[in-house]
Amino acid sequence: LGVSGNTTDREVGRLRRRTQVGQMLSLVPLRTLAAARWSAWLMLGSRILHPWISWLPTPPWWSVALAVALFVLPPGRMAVAALLARFVLRGVVAGQHPRGGSAHLRIWLAGRIQDELAATSLAGAPWFPWYARILGCTIADGVDLHTVPPVTGLLTVGSRAAVESEVDLTGHWVDGDVLHVGTMTIGAGARVGARSMLGPGAEVGPDAEVAPGSYIDGRVPAGEFWSGSPAEPRTRARGPWPSEPPPAGRRWLGAYAALSLLLGALPLLALLAGGAVLWQPVTHATSAGAALLAVLPWLPLAGLVGFAVLLVSVLVAVRFLGLLIRPGHVPVRSARGVAVWGTIRVLDEARDWLFPLYSGALTPIWLRLLGATIGKDVEASTVLMIPKLTSVGDGAFLADDTLIGGYELSGGWMRVDDVKIGKRAFVGNSGMAAPGRKVRKASLVAVLSAAPRAADAKSGQSWLGSPPTRLRRVAEVADKGRTYQPSTRLKVLRGVVETMRVVPMLLAVLLNVVVALTLLSLLGKGVWVDALLGGVVLSIAGIVAALLSVAAKWILVGRHTVGEHPLWSGFVWRNELADTFTEFLAARWFVPTVLGTWALNVWLRMLGATIGHGVWCDTYWLPETDLVELGDGATVNAGTVVQTHLFHDRVLALDTVKVKAGATLGPNSVILPAASIGRFSTIGPGSLVMRGESVPSRTRWIGNPIGPWEES
């Protein structure tokens, strides 16, 4: 890059120490909220099972009923989270606030409260409009809100508006030493596409449309179609949509709620199946400690049984819902609408529940079982799709967090369509192919990019950005025996390494059992003892999980270095195995609570990253940590990936990424290998910093890919 970016003379210091201390002091109380959810379930289970397991505590039924109402049932969790958030955020208004100041710390705290109470879990998804209202948002009737509302409550949505899945409505982000907080307005009948972001102060006019993957930092006039990051007016929308309104279907809201509870209960079903394996040793024990010793030999079997039951449950649910799905427009409030929504929601959760099945040799088999048409030698990571409508050709590669198809919303209607990924095509990290799109043979959709319309694409082309533009690319030259045509020996070796993914899964089972029995022991001493010490127990468990992931990284991989590794190599398999430890342990038990804190920075340093003093890092997506450098006072916003590798042509290419002192990487952005951001520079939201780019110091950039940020 040249020096044509919008320049700035500011200097950004380190995050204030008192802010970091305040965050650290709040971690155990935050974990206490999560412990309350654990205890509510344990109290209910204890009362039910006490006739057969005499050592279980028997709290009063009134306390059980209260705990279940507040911390188990989705409306209760949402109400508690919203009331606490509104209390914490009293007096916080739209505008600019100091990074690390009172407003920033309180917004951070409100977000963590929401996470600790699981207020936005699968079971509560149909209640999002109601949840938004009690947070303080203004939500009109007939709104389809399929994403998490902002804890700030600074959102207004007009009647019949549609907000698709994974839209970022947080309404705030950190730019250097400034926190921007603003209102967001979505007009009546407007549409906001999946994985878009509305920045502080964004306005989407009535009947306007925002394309998927876009960033809105100003006003979209009524009736216009905007696309891009930052978005600009375009000529073509995603239509056509039915002109008539859909039939009234309020009764279907109950169907959404019932399905969400059913799908959200699948892990409970797996827990019961695993618990059945442990039933006999538990019933013969005389205390929680004795029960732990008795079940230890049976835990591996219990864990495998629970995993298998969860796998089969997800499979049956998706196949059953698939019977109702076919291409076309359907009312959101209809059986087919419920089926489409349920499929996407449960498979989104399954990427977490069944993580060992993803990013491995078993992934294509899993996708076929779900109903997708998957060709030979396909590689797929944490892909999200509607299986029945998805076809993937031989040798294709679907990278992390790709969205293949999904659904679109407008005016009470839902649209789904077939999606086809051609032979040896590549869809990069966070890439998207909208319903009805085709990624042609040997084509490439780059990181954080959208697939072009079928009429615009030809075989062998590469596409970058949103909206997509042609990209010149030279294919990597590699040994086909280690990319597309592996030997039987390599397949066997890969299978052996990937089978070891059962280890972090079983460690997670052990951690769950130890925590549950410890909390039961505290319950035996009294509900208030459990309430006071539950957060300490979960905090210790989180530290243990974090340390286990660190140990796994150094044992399996060692230090990451710059270089290239073909897909069929031990390094790639061991790297994925280490990532399974991170996702199954640290990402569940440790990371969600400590995002943006000194504790996260310490953990990242232990994994090998170079993290300066006073860094605000709101993400853990630093894949090869040794290759990451975040300078003093740097800011990495939420939803951002510091991408130290690329996997084009089945060759893993590793290189360094540097975010220098005082620099900012905006939310939902990606920076690619061998790139750097100069001192005190800013990369705006929804941006892509290309491989090898060097952003000059004291400049401002935005876009996918980035260009000078000419702010109005």
Side-chain angles (χ1 to χ4, degrees):
L1 293 174
V3 292
S4 58
N6 189 10
T7 58
T8 175
D9 60 358
R10 71 172 180 179
E11 293 192 6
V12 179
R14 302 173 180 177
L15 187 69
R16 294 186 297 186
R17 187 173 297 277
R18 65 182 181 183
T19 299
Q20 296 175 313
V21 171
Q23 288 178 301
M24 295 302 295
L25 291 175
S26 68
L27 294 183
V28 171
L30 283 170
R31 291 269 69 192
T32 300
L33 293 176
R37 292 193 293 116
W38 275 77
S39 297
W41 280 106
L42 292 171
M43 291 166 68
L44 178 62
S46 294
R47 289 299 319 217
I48 293 173
L49 298 177
H50 184 264
W52 299 276
I53 306 175
S54 59
W55 55 267
L56 287 175
T58 54
W61 271 112
W62 68 265
S63 64
V64 175
L66 181 63
V68 169
L70 294 179
F71 299 109
V72 172
L73 298 179
R77 295 202 308 264
M78 287 177 155
V80 173
L83 293 174
L84 288 175
R86 295 192 71 164
F87 175 78
V88 167
L89 294 175
R90 286 180 307 168
V92 175
V93 297
Q96 295 185 356
H97 305 273
R99 181 186 71 167
S102 172
H104 187 194
L105 187 57
R106 286 190 283 161
I107 288 176
W108 170 84
L109 182 60
R112 299 288 78 78
I113 289 171
Q114 177 177 264
D115 292 342
E116 294 298 309
L117 288 170
T120 58
S121 65
L122 169 58
W127 302 87
F128 281 171
W130 175 77
Y131 179 50
R133 292 186 183 104
I134 58 176
L135 282 168
C137 303
T138 301
I139 310 295
D141 292 335
V143 169
D144 291 315
L145 182 64
H146 287 211
T147 196
V148 179
V151 292
T152 59
L154 300 176
L155 173 68
T156 299
V157 185
S159 62
R160 301 176 294 101
V163 184
E164 294 177 4
S165 61
E166 300 184 52
V167 174
D168 186 338
L169 296 177
T170 52
H172 61 83
W173 70 286
V174 182
D175 180 5
D177 52 4
V178 176
L179 169 70
H180 298 277
V181 181
T183 60
M184 295 157 289
T185 302
I186 302 172
R191 308 189 290 274
V192 181
R195 297 189 175 181
S196 295
M197 177 181 177
L198 301 190
E203 295 182 30
V204 180
D207 298 315
E209 178 176 359
V210 176
S214 299
Y215 170 61
I216 304 297
D217 63 351
R219 183 175 183 275
V220 178
E224 293 192 9
F225 172 68
W226 284 45
S227 174
S229 183
E232 298 176 351
R234 307 291 172 180
T235 58
R236 291 183 292 181
R238 287 179 289 167
W241 291 92
S243 57
E244 69 277 7
R250 286 189 175 274
R251 67 183 184 279
W252 289 106
L253 296 178
Y256 274 95
L259 181 61
S260 67
L261 288 173
L262 179 63
L263 297 178
L266 294 183
L268 178 60
L269 180 63
L271 175 65
L272 294 175
V277 176
L278 306 177
W279 179 256
Q280 186 172 1
V282 168
T283 54
H284 285 80
T286 56
S287 66
L292 176 60
L293 295 176
V295 301
L296 281 177
W298 296 94
L299 278 183
L301 178 60
L304 292 174
V305 168
F307 188 85
V309 168
L310 185 55
L311 183 155
V312 172
S313 300
V314 171
L315 179 60
V316 170
V318 172
R319 297 295 293 212
F320 176 78
L321 294 173
L323 297 175
L324 298 174
I325 298 174
R326 58 182 182 271
H329 296 84
V330 299
V332 174
R333 292 165 178 81
S334 66
R336 289 172 61 191
V338 172
V340 170
W341 176 87
T343 298
I344 288 292
R345 292 294 304 187
V346 74
L347 287 181
D348 190 16
E349 296 291 336
R351 297 187 296 178
D352 179 43
W353 297 341
L354 305 173
F355 187 81
L357 281 180
Y358 289 85
S359 304
L362 292 179
T363 311
I365 298 174
W366 169 241
L367 297 177
R368 289 188 194 105
L369 290 172
L370 290 171
T373 302
I374 307 294
K376 297 179 181 179
D377 301 320
V378 167
E379 292 290 333
S381 186
T382 50
V383 58
L384 182 61
M385 62 174 64
I386 299 176
K388 185 176 181 178
L389 303 179
T390 303
S391 175
V392 183
D394 297 346
F397 196 115
L398 307 176
D400 292 337
D401 198 33
T402 47
L403 178 59
I404 308 301
Y407 60 83
E408 298 174 338
L409 299 172
S410 178
W413 291 95
M414 176 183 288
R415 175 179 174 263
V416 293
D417 207 343
D418 296 312
V419 179
K420 184 175 181 180
I421 309 298
K423 294 181 178 180
R424 292 207 177 188
F426 180 93
V427 182
N429 292 33
S430 301
M432 297 184 293
R437 297 291 170 93
K438 296 181 180 179
V439 179
R440 303 290 185 180
K441 178 181 178 181
S443 294
L444 177 143
V445 176
V447 173
L448 203 65
S449 300
R453 293 174 178 269
D456 299 331
K458 295 181 180 179
S459 297
Q461 293 178 336
S462 298
W463 297 87
L464 171 70
S466 176
T469 57
R470 287 285 305 279
L471 170 70
R472 292 184 178 181
R473 182 178 70 95
V474 178
E476 302 284 349
V477 178
D479 178 8
K480 291 189 181 297
R482 288 188 172 269
T483 52
Y484 287 95
Q485 300 170 3
S487 64
T488 301
R489 172 180 170 274
L490 288 175
K491 292 180 180 180
V492 171
L493 289 174
R494 181 180 181 180
V496 171
V497 175
E498 292 188 352
T499 299
M500 297 303 295
R501 295 183 183 189
V502 72
V503 175
M505 183 188 74
L506 295 180
L507 287 173
V509 171
L510 176 60
L511 198 56
N512 275 279
V513 169
V514 170
V515 167
L517 291 175
T518 303
L519 293 177
L520 280 172
S521 296
L522 294 177
L523 275 173
K525 301 179 185 300
V527 173
W528 293 110
V529 175
D530 179 75
L532 288 172
L533 297 180
V536 175
V537 173
L538 289 191
S539 297
I540 294 172
I543 293 171
V544 170
L547 294 176
L548 286 171
S549 66
V550 170
K553 183 266 181 181
W554 289 107
I555 292 171
L556 294 169
V557 180
R559 186 171 296 280
H560 296 105
T561 57
V562 175
E564 295 184 347
H565 305 271
L567 170 64
W568 292 87
S569 64
F571 174 84
V572 172
W573 309 331
R574 288 183 281 108
N575 202 38
E576 292 287 356
L577 178 56
D579 190 50
T580 305
F581 276 85
T582 296
E583 294 294 336
F584 238 83
L585 294 168
R588 298 184 180 192
W589 289 89
F590 178 73
V591 169
T593 310
V594 302
L595 286 170
T597 71
W598 175 79
L600 181 72
N601 294 346
V602 170
W603 177 65
L604 292 173
R605 291 185 189 116
M606 295 175 70
L607 287 169
T610 301
I611 311 291
H613 297 288
V615 168
W616 178 270
C617 185
D618 204 1
T619 180
Y620 73 101
W621 292 329
L622 285 62
E624 287 76 33
T625 42
D626 301 288
L627 303 178
V628 175
E629 178 183 324
L630 306 181
D632 291 351
T635 296
V636 181
N637 279 268
T640 292
V641 182
V642 182
Q643 189 69 44
T644 47
H645 71 252
L646 289 174
F647 226 140
H648 297 167
D649 302 305
R650 302 199 173 197
V651 175
L652 181 72
L654 305 177
D655 214 323
T656 59
V657 171
K658 297 180 180 179
V659 181
K660 297 184 179 180
T664 295
L665 191 55
N668 306 307
S669 296
V670 176
I671 180 171
L672 296 182
S676 65
I677 304 174
R679 291 166 56 87
F680 312 126
S681 291
T682 292
I683 303 298
S687 296
L688 174 64
V689 183
M690 293 291 288
R691 182 177 186 176
E693 287 187 328
S694 180
V695 175
S697 298
R698 301 181 185 276
T699 56
R700 298 175 64 78
W701 303 78
I702 193 170
N704 184 359
I706 59 169
W709 192 354
E710 304 296 341
E711 298 173 270
S712 58

